[in-house]
Amino acid sequence: MSQYIIMNKIESLSDLFDMVGCDVSYYDLGRNITKITPQQAVQFDRKQQAYPFPFRQHAWLACLLNKENEGKKTKKEDIIDQGVIWFLKLPLDEAGCLNLGTRDHFIKSIVDKILHKGEEAGLSEALEDNPYAFKPDQERMASLHAVLGKDLRKTPSHYFDDVVKYLSSGLTEQDDSWQTLGLQGIAELAARVDEDKYQALIQEAIQHAAKPVVSALCHALEHETLSRELQNTLIEQLQTEQDALMQASYLRALSRADLNDTLLLPLFGLLGSLTECKDDDLHPIAALAAKCPHWLGQNPQLLRIIMEKLAHREDGYIAFKQIAAELSQHPETKQPLWTLLRGGHISPKLAQAVSYLFTQTPKSVQ
């Protein structure tokens, strides 16, 4: 079949996967790991709706491909081991929909490779040197495999057993056995936070485990919906934590929580003075900007404190520009940021930073 005929028949990502005989499941890997429903997939794929989980003006997709072999589909629990996962970073247009020109360019590049190499080789090698492919970091990969494993009812790895054993053994500061734990086991524990016995272990870990374990666990928990009890434990730890990197980790774990007074007051306490912003303060601020923009969109005062603090730094507005650029890419904060920076109720320092921003990088907040 000629490439022209094939391309005429392919009008979406799902058409592409149908062509190569694959079932596909989509997961979003942007701000959090989230399973995309079949209905959502059809809607964004055919530009009927905006992409549901935009992050930094892109759709960050994990496409789990299950190929039929001689009319038989792989068993659900074997898909992770035998299937192929494509990681795609596709740009979104101003309306938050897939950029169709880019999507079609991507599809053409895949069709070219599959026609050249054949379907079997093409599927696993199709993304080699592809500009729309990306490689998740180690933490994100561990969490994705944990989420997939739970969704597909796959038995956890032996790393999970090691983590459960460590957390069940009575934690002490002298115990350094945590150093042998695998990131995969920590991610698999986080994915089971909705099970009572494991939630109790997670509570124990957050309060008493070694800080590197707590940090990794918090980063894995950002993909989960947490109980009010666990949220309260994280908020209590946040209020007493002095280490800025750990503060950022607790914020990431809480990022799917609703912004209520129980959380809001500690956030104000954490951010502190409008006129001071040390280097360490940038860690929790960066976590709030990247992972919790919905909070900043909901509460203009939080947003103002952050931008005021950054404007008062003596760093040539480097951090201010970076955070403003980040926030301008999130739908939740783009308009509130614009309203704040264009408003009259800001300090002279912030007004000066805004003036610099528009002079130097006029497109970054528009």
Side-chain angles (χ1 to χ4, degrees):
M1 189 179 292
S2 76
Q3 181 183 337
Y4 176 77
I5 295 172
I6 290 173
M7 285 305 297
N8 267 2
K9 290 186 175 182
I10 298 177
E11 297 179 343
S12 66
L13 294 174
S14 55
D15 288 346
L16 172 65
F17 296 129
D18 284 344
M19 183 197 83
V20 293
C22 281
D23 282 344
V24 59
S25 299
Y26 295 102
Y27 286 77
D28 177 75
L29 263 61
R31 191 183 304 166
N32 311 102
I33 295 173
T34 310
K35 185 168 175 50
I36 296 173
T37 68
Q39 183 182 8
Q40 287 173 323
V42 168
Q43 288 173 336
F44 81 74
D45 194 13
R46 299 191 181 278
K47 207 171 180 179
Q48 296 167 359
Q49 297 275 348
Y51 183 72
F53 309 108
F55 184 66
R56 294 174 179 163
Q57 294 178 327
H58 285 77
W60 303 73
L61 288 166
C63 308
L64 183 61
L65 308 182
N66 178 19
K67 185 162 179 60
E68 289 187 21
N69 291 310
E70 297 175 2
K72 294 180 181 177
K73 289 180 184 173
T74 308
K75 286 182 183 176
K76 232 181 173 189
E77 61 271 22
D78 295 332
I79 290 176
I80 303 174
D81 300 322
Q82 296 178 21
V84 173
I85 303 178
W86 285 3
F87 297 104
L88 306 180
K89 178 187 174 187
L90 300 174
L92 304 175
D93 62 21
E94 283 299 311
C97 295
L98 281 188
N99 182 307
L100 294 188
T102 303
R103 185 203 63 188
D104 292 346
H105 180 251
F106 164 73
I107 288 172
K108 182 180 181 301
S109 69
I110 297 299
V111 170
D112 285 348
K113 189 154 280 191
I114 288 176
L115 285 176
H116 180 65
K117 293 196 170 187
E119 282 183 17
E120 287 303 322
L123 264 187
S124 55
E125 299 172 18
L127 294 188
E128 283 180 5
D129 304 320
N130 194 295
Y132 306 111
F134 76 98
K135 185 177 180 181
D137 62 30
Q138 193 179 6
E139 274 189 348
R140 192 55 57 109
M141 281 297 288
S143 286
L144 176 63
H145 278 278
V147 169
L148 289 176
K150 186 159 188 290
D151 284 354
L152 299 173
R153 297 182 175 82
K154 188 175 169 65
T155 304
S157 69
H158 68 87
Y159 299 110
F160 173 75
D161 298 330
D162 294 342
V163 171
V164 170
K165 184 179 177 184
Y166 162 72
L167 294 175
S168 305
S169 62
L171 300 173
T172 63
E173 287 187 16
Q174 291 74 35
D175 184 0
D176 61 359
S177 62
W178 62 268
Q179 296 181 36
T180 63
L181 298 178
L183 201 55
Q184 189 59 52
I186 294 172
E188 287 171 349
L189 177 64
R192 287 160 177 76
V193 69
D194 59 343
E195 300 176 37
D196 289 345
K197 63 178 177 178
Y198 296 128
Q199 182 167 167
L201 278 182
I202 290 171
Q203 291 270 18
E204 175 76 5
I206 287 169
Q207 295 174 86
H208 303 295
K211 293 295 188 198
V213 175
V214 179
S215 182
L217 182 57
C218 284
H219 294 175
L221 285 172
E222 75 182 9
H223 311 298
E224 308 298 329
T225 301
L226 309 184
S227 69
R228 183 57 55 88
E229 183 184 3
L230 186 51
Q231 288 178 25
N232 289 341
T233 299
L234 287 161
I235 291 169
E236 287 168 12
Q237 295 297 116
L238 178 66
Q239 287 179 289
T240 57
E241 183 60 61
Q242 298 301 309
D243 182 271
L245 285 170
M246 284 306 303
Q247 290 170 351
S249 293
Y250 291 129
L251 289 171
R252 287 179 61 172
L254 286 162
S255 62
R256 284 193 157 177
D258 292 331
L259 184 63
N260 53 31
D261 286 346
T262 307
L263 179 55
L264 189 57
L265 296 176
L267 289 179
F268 284 135
L270 176 70
L271 291 171
S273 168
L274 270 70
T275 59
E276 184 184 13
C277 189
K278 304 185 295 293
D279 287 350
D280 270 357
D281 295 335
L282 295 178
H283 296 299
I285 286 174
L288 286 168
K291 300 293 182 176
C292 316
H294 46 301
W295 295 350
L296 307 183
Q298 275 178 260
N299 192 289
Q301 188 62 13
L302 268 182
L303 182 62
R304 179 174 174 242
I305 292 171
I306 285 174
M307 300 314 292
E308 286 280 6
K309 286 177 75 73
L310 294 170
H312 280 79
R313 283 177 58 80
E314 300 293 336
D315 65 352
Y317 303 118
I318 291 172
F320 181 86
K321 284 194 295 182
Q322 288 173 341
I323 298 297
E326 174 81 55
L327 294 175
S328 69
Q329 294 184 67
H330 296 303
E332 303 97 325
T333 46
K334 184 175 182 179
Q335 193 56 48
L337 178 68
W338 178 262
T339 302
L340 170 69
L341 299 187
R342 286 297 202 190
H345 305 291
I346 56 176
S347 70
K349 277 275 191 184
L350 181 50
Q352 189 177 346
V354 171
S355 175
Y356 178 84
L357 187 67
F358 282 110
T359 304
Q360 298 294 315
T361 52
K363 292 180 182 175
S364 63
V365 291
Q366 290 179 7

